[in-house]
Amino acid sequence: MKRKLIAAIGVAGMLVSVAACGSDDKASSQDPKDRKENLTVWLMGEAQSTWPELVKDVNAEFNKKYPGVTVKVQYQQWADKVKKLDTSLGGDKFPDVVELGNTETMQYILNGALGEIDPKKYENSDTWIKGLKDTCTFEGKTYCVPYYASARLAVYNKDMLKAGTGSDELPQTEDEFLKAMDKVSAELAKKDKRASSLYFPGRYWYAAMSYVAAYGGQIATYDEGAKEWKGSLSSPESQKGLEHFVNLVKKYNKADQTKDEQDHANVMANEKAAVIYGQAWEAGSVTGGENGNPKLEGKIATAGIPGPNGKALPSFIGGSDLATISKSKVQDLGQEWIALFTNAKGGDVLASKNVLPNNEKQLEPLKTKPETAAIANAVPDAWFTPIAPGWASVEKEEILENVLLEILKGASVADASKKADDKINALINKKS
């Protein structure tokens, strides 16, 4: 998961001062065959484990044009990538190209760490998925390139579901879904009273805000007249969503309700949850990897989770972006490498792995493919956090988690949401 990310905003002044450096004009005017630089690329582990052939092919194509340039791809882990990046940006050894989770980009745009790019130089940029495009854009300028998209959906244990309901297919309406969860809860209680049918951790704000969105609410809205953002969790629509989510936590989570979702795939791997709300790749984490349970291979499935009002539950738009570092002296090379990596060929490779490409054009066929239909159809209507400077702060997670905890502990939804709005207003309009 891409959470709890603490940015080293203290380097902002240094980064802004060098943001205009960019690539050396002389270098960019050289014959490509005469270039002798190094290009360091930071990608996350998924590229190494799931689509290594894409990396290999792009490097080979890049080196046909730039035979003297050495591309050094270094694979990172989400748990410590931000800390490593912030440390490197404070010194003189940093990547030229970096993969960022879409919730990370704004903080680096604001502190001047990312170089500006021209979308016209990137294939399919006219159909980039809006939720990703927005995370790369600030004040009319673009600072990164969408890489791939993701959305949350139900990840479930088919055997547990069937034992309770007689069917291993997830119901399509929320009423039917919750009736199924009631039956699964009763069945699980016979063997393990700490096992949950629907495992929603109480601090899982991504899930909670999906219910807020389902009722038409938002975290914050922009007031055109006042020219500022205003917290809107206390709106009637948002309050309905908060209450709905907390009620589900109270009823179905039989474990510690005050936790976040960091280990929910592990909870499922330990057969303590029939259904979790996660990203599609987390189904693989349940059965494989360091904490996976191989015995569940073939028993874990994904589907769209039904929400209130007869509609699918809106999903948070997740995914990754690629950017060049403004301090880099080879930004032009970095931009060309990104263009190759994110072109239509690259999108086809991702799609073949059931990973959602960065654009609507290549996303369309995945909407009818059985393995990807649920997640692909969730992306176009997915929601995202406010595109506001102050929202880049890590404090946002604490605000959203705390409002949920307060309601769980007995505070009224109205009081807790009003308090959250006050904190959101102070945070989101904070002057940098």
Side-chain angles (χ1 to χ4, degrees), residues 275-289:
V275 180
I276 63 174
Y277 183 55
Q279 300 195 63
W281 58 263
E282 290 186 275
S285 298
V286 174
T287 59

Side-chain angles (χ1 to χ4, degrees), residues 8-308:
I9 301 299
V11 301
M14 176 273 295
L15 291 172
V16 171
S17 68
V18 298
C21 292
S23 302
D24 186 282
D25 290 337
K26 292 182 180 179
S28 61
S29 63
Q30 280 182 286
D31 185 312
K33 292 183 172 55
D34 293 335
R35 302 288 293 269
K36 302 296 181 183
E37 297 98 332
N38 292 324
L39 179 69
T40 301
V41 178
W42 280 19
L43 293 178
M44 304 312 296
E46 291 88 343
Q48 182 180 33
S49 62
T50 311
W51 47 90
E53 69 274 29
L54 174 58
V55 180
K56 180 180 178 181
D57 290 347
V58 167
N59 285 343
E61 187 171 355
F62 183 85
N63 280 134
K64 286 180 181 179
K65 182 175 180 179
Y66 297 101
V69 174
T70 301
V71 180
K72 301 179 179 180
V73 178
Q74 300 174 352
Y75 295 99
Q76 310 299 320
Q77 300 302 314
W78 290 112
D80 64 353
K81 189 279 301 292
V82 166
K83 183 177 180 180
K84 288 178 64 176
L85 179 59
D86 291 340
T87 299
S88 73
L89 291 175
D92 57 5
K93 293 183 179 181
F94 46 83
D96 302 294
V97 173
V98 63
E99 176 182 346
L100 297 167
N102 64 340
T103 58
E104 301 170 6
T105 55
M106 182 59 72
Q107 65 194 32
Y108 291 105
I109 291 172
L110 291 173
N111 65 25
L114 308 185
E116 185 181 350
I117 63 102
D118 179 0
K120 294 178 181 179
K121 295 182 179 180
Y122 298 87
E123 196 167 353
N124 286 322
S125 61
D126 57 336
T127 60
W128 279 345
I129 292 170
K130 185 179 185 302
L132 290 183
K133 181 180 178 181
D134 287 347
T135 68
C136 287
T137 307
F138 183 64
E139 294 185 341
K141 296 181 180 180
T142 305
Y143 294 89
C144 54
V145 178
Y147 174 12
Y148 66 85
S150 67
R152 285 168 171 78
L153 68 172
V155 179
Y156 68 97
N157 185 309
K158 293 189 289 185
D159 285 356
M160 285 185 176
L161 184 65
K162 189 171 185 177
T165 67
S167 172
D168 63 3
E169 293 187 4
L170 211 66
Q172 298 297 302
T173 69
E174 188 179 49
D175 285 345
E176 293 173 342
F177 173 64
L178 296 182
K179 287 178 182 177
M181 293 300 95
D182 291 338
K183 293 177 181 178
V184 173
S185 290
E187 188 65 28
L188 290 175
K190 297 176 183 178
K191 301 177 181 179
D192 188 350
K193 295 186 182 300
R194 301 294 289 172
S196 306
S197 57
L198 175 60
Y199 182 70
F200 270 151
R203 287 162 50 206
Y204 192 2
W205 68 266
Y206 286 109
M209 295 306 119
S210 288
Y211 283 94
V212 167
Y215 281 99
Q218 298 181 62
I219 296 171
T221 56
Y222 187 70
D223 186 327
E224 288 287 354
K227 301 299 181 185
E228 66 178 10
W229 288 83
K230 292 184 178 180
S232 56
L233 288 181
S234 59
S235 71
E237 296 82 5
S238 295
Q239 287 189 48
K240 287 180 182 178
L242 291 170
E243 185 172 28
H244 192 124
F245 172 76
V246 171
N247 286 341
L248 293 176
V249 174
K250 289 180 177 179
K251 184 174 184 180
Y252 295 109
N253 184 345
K254 304 302 180 182
D256 182 355
Q257 296 181 349
T258 65
K259 293 180 65 177
D260 63 29
E261 81 284 6
Q262 286 296 288
D263 68 344
H264 65 175
N266 188 41
V267 172
M268 175 168 274
N270 289 322
E271 299 182 76
K272 296 290 186 179
V275 180
I276 63 174
Y277 183 55
Q279 300 195 63
W281 58 263
E282 290 186 275
S285 298
V286 174
T287 59
E290 184 177 347
N291 297 314
N293 183 351
K295 294 180 181 179
L296 296 180
E297 189 70 42
K299 299 180 180 181
I300 305 302
T302 60
I305 190 167

Side-chain angles (χ1 to χ4, degrees), residues 382-393:
W383 62 273
F384 195 68
T385 50
I387 307 296
W391 197 253
S393 170

